[in-house]
Amino acid sequence: VGNGQLYLAGQTAPSPGITLIRGGLWLTADDCVVQHLRVRPGDAGQDTGWEPDAIQTGDGTSNNVIDHCTGTWGVDENINVGYDTTDTTISNCLVAEPLNDATHSKGEHGYNSIIGNNAKNVTYVGNVLAYATDRNPRLKEGTETVVVNNLIHRYEDGMWADPDTAHSIE
């Protein structure tokens, strides 16, 4: 998504709704709202080097909302906030079942969410994170993030923060 001021209202689609497969959704624009969308990249039949996230805001973007979405079967992570972003919200999403041993060049890589370096004013609220080995979510250096009212289920490592982050966790 390269055009700003997009409102993708998946809840208005006919039943069974919108599911994207064999690829991810990247928001590289500002002022976007994405709601009620399922994204399942999977391994897309590839052998190696295929490393998509399900949903991600692009680096340097601002004022984006991902709400009531499902990000599953990502090969890198499932739902992410890009580096150097501002005013990003991820709310009421299902973030689950990353593919741990698929086509990632680093090998096992079953991670849920990452908040990129220097992302400011990030709200991560009301999400369910499940069946991942790590990054539930991971807050990278220099981030300012509120992580509240999320449920983390069946994980090896829960939420964690790099040095030099400012965060409120509840």
Side-chain angles (χ1 to χ4, degrees):
V1 176
N3 294 324
Q5 299 180 344
L6 167 80
Y7 197 109
L8 197 157
Q11 65 268 37
T12 64
S15 181
I18 301 169
T19 303
L20 304 178
I21 62 170
R22 296 185 177 185
L25 178 71
W26 281 70
L27 298 172
T28 59
D30 299 331
D31 305 312
C32 296
V33 176
V34 177
Q35 293 182 306
H36 297 269
L37 185 71
R38 294 180 301 267
V39 183
R40 297 184 172 119
D43 67 8
Q46 304 297 313
D47 290 327
T48 187
W50 173 256
E51 302 176 4
D53 297 324
I55 303 172
Q56 177 160 338
T57 62
D59 298 345
T61 59
S62 65
N63 200 34
N64 288 311
V65 176
I66 300 168
D67 177 59
H68 283 89
C69 289
T70 298
T72 55
W73 306 345
V75 176
D76 196 8
E77 287 98 13
N78 280 322
I79 299 181
N80 296 328
V81 174
Y83 292 65
D84 301 306
T85 63
T86 56
D87 304 320
T88 304
T89 299
I90 298 176
S91 59
N92 306 302
C93 292
L94 173 61
V95 187
E97 298 182 344
L99 299 182
N100 189 46
D101 193 13
T103 55
H104 200 284
S105 61
K106 294 179 182 175
E108 292 187 6
H109 211 78
Y111 303 147
N112 262 335
S113 276
I114 197 165
I115 311 302
N117 288 1
N118 302 310
K120 306 294 185 197
N121 199 25
V122 176
T123 303
Y124 199 94
V125 61
N127 303 294
V128 174
L129 297 95
Y131 297 99
T133 59
D134 203 348
R135 300 182 184 168
N136 289 301
R138 176 183 177 186
L139 311 180
K140 294 201 69 175
E141 288 190 34
T143 61
E144 296 175 1
T145 309
V146 173
V147 180
V148 287
N149 296 334
N150 297 287
L151 172 67
I152 304 172
H153 176 71
R154 301 286 299 217
Y155 59 92
E156 289 181 27
D157 289 320
M159 200 247 43
W160 61 289
D162 286 1
D164 301 320
T165 62
H167 52 274
S168 177
I169 302 166
E170 186 175 309

